[in-house]
Amino acid sequence: AKRIVVKVGTSTLAHETGKLDLHRIDHLIRELADLRNQGKEMVLVSSGAIAAGLGKLGLAKKPDSIPEKQAIAAIGQGVLMHIYEKFFAEYGQVMGQVLLTKENSVRHNQYIHSRDSLLAQLAMGAIPVINENDAVAVDEIKIGDNDNLSAMVATLVDADALIILSDIEGLYTANPSTHPEAELISEIPEITPEIERIAGGAGSKLGTGGMMTKIQAAQVAMSAGVTMVIASGARDGIIRDVLAGKTVGTVFPAR
Ligand code: ADP
């Protein structure tokens, strides 16, 4: 695999207090930098802007009003990019920030422009860091969650793999936080109604989509010929292990 899209969720980037987990972010960026140094093209799709904004403002929870949420996304996006830029620079890498909305994938000319921008960044050796443009996007033009956004990005750049890092090892036969006997499913060759049912429960406190949006992402990725893997962002070296073909997480092989 040569061109890899990695998506990281808020549950991986932030502590349960809502503040950013700097150790985790440092390790993630170091791993991406190492893979870049080995000649792989890396793309990062990152959540966490709201968490970063809440932290910066010293707020404990998200406000209810949409403009306030957007303001916090705007403040937090800068905070998050500052941290990414700092770590990437430390490890000798160049990054580019890309903020997308649904329009960028559904309108043909915008689709082409978004794709060409990403490909040009990769050709320059940069690592695009992508998020949804939450500061201005309203529901009608929203993709809504970064799992689906990452599948759109992986399709856009024709990635060889999409790795979704979460606070859990992969898809289990039931939500392990309520069903301790649940078992990890290591490979899902096809999204059946049974898989959709399993993924139906809510996500963690900090995350948004839970497993449902990851299954939707898998559907998109698989049919675009991109293999997707859900794995735990808490494990150091996880991206390398996935790319080495070790049996970790849940694999959705490309059709
Ligand atoms: P992220 O922020 O990484 O996208 P989410 O919190 O949105 O993470 O989704 C991951 C969470 O989904 C898990 O921590 C778990 O609580 C929940 N979940 C629900 N059903 C399942 C399942 N069948 N297998 C694994 N996790 C599940």
Side-chain angles (χ1 to χ4, degrees):
K2 174 127 200 333
R3 184 174 290 166
I4 321 297
V5 176
V6 175
K7 181 261 172 177
V8 58
T10 305
S11 59
T12 300
L13 296 170
H15 294 290
E16 283 196 355
T17 58
K19 300 247 183 200
L20 293 176
D21 187 336
L22 296 171
H23 176 92
R24 195 64 76 61
I25 296 174
D26 184 13
H27 275 266
L28 169 74
I29 298 310
R30 195 189 297 187
E31 203 178 355
L32 293 175
D34 253 335
L35 289 161
R36 181 79 274 281
N37 285 346
Q38 288 164 33
K40 301 211 186 296
E41 293 177 333
M42 306 303 294
V43 176
L44 178 63
V45 175
S46 174
S47 308
I50 300 253
L54 290 173
K56 178 88 180 183
L57 294 167
L59 299 175
K61 66 175 187 64
K62 282 188 219 177
D64 293 324
S65 93
I66 291 170
E68 282 179 344
K69 265 188 219 149
Q70 289 177 317
I72 287 166
I75 292 160
Q77 182 67 23
V79 173
L80 195 61
M81 289 306 110
H82 180 87
I83 292 167
Y84 281 143
E85 174 64 40
K86 174 176 140 56
F87 284 134
F88 273 128
E90 206 132 295
Y91 300 126
Q93 304 299 331
V94 177
M95 61 157 278
Q97 177 191 232
V98 182
L99 297 173
L100 297 173
T101 63
K102 201 183 203 164
E103 300 275 288
N104 299 113
S105 72
V106 294
R107 293 200 187 202
H108 184 68
N109 66 331
Q110 292 205 23
Y111 175 96
I112 300 292
H113 290 310
S114 315
R115 187 197 61 189
D116 290 350
S117 166
L118 291 172
L119 295 180
Q121 290 177 54
L122 292 174
M124 288 173 184
I127 300 173
V129 179
I130 302 173
N131 196 2
E132 178 138 47
N133 196 354
D134 290 323
V136 295
V138 288
D139 276 354
E140 298 82 79
I141 59 160
K142 265 197 161 190
I143 297 153
D145 68 89
N146 277 4
D147 294 323
N148 278 290
L149 176 66
S150 69
M152 169 189 139
V153 167
T155 306
L156 211 55
V157 300
D158 193 19
D160 297 295
L162 167 61
I163 303 174
I164 294 197
L165 298 178
S166 187
D167 64 341
I168 195 153
E169 301 283 328
L171 183 72
Y172 282 74
T173 49
N175 187 348
S177 58
T178 47
H179 296 74
E181 76 292 350
E183 283 173 33
L184 181 68
I185 308 174
S186 56
E187 186 170 322
I188 299 179
E190 198 190 349
I191 314 284
T192 59
E194 172 63 6
I195 295 296
E196 285 176 347
R197 192 190 58 75
I198 285 174
S204 63
K205 189 160 65 84
L206 292 171
T208 41
M211 283 292 146
M212 198 60 218
T213 50
K214 291 172 183 57
I215 298 300
Q216 290 164 359
Q219 194 83 265
V220 172
M222 287 164 102
S223 52
V226 180
T227 293
M228 186 182 115
V229 181
I230 303 174
S232 169
R235 286 220 240 159
D236 286 345
I238 187 72
I239 304 172
R240 193 188 51 215
D241 287 353
V242 167
L243 295 179
K246 295 201 179 148
T247 37
V248 281
T250 302
V251 183
F252 301 80
R255 282 197 206 106

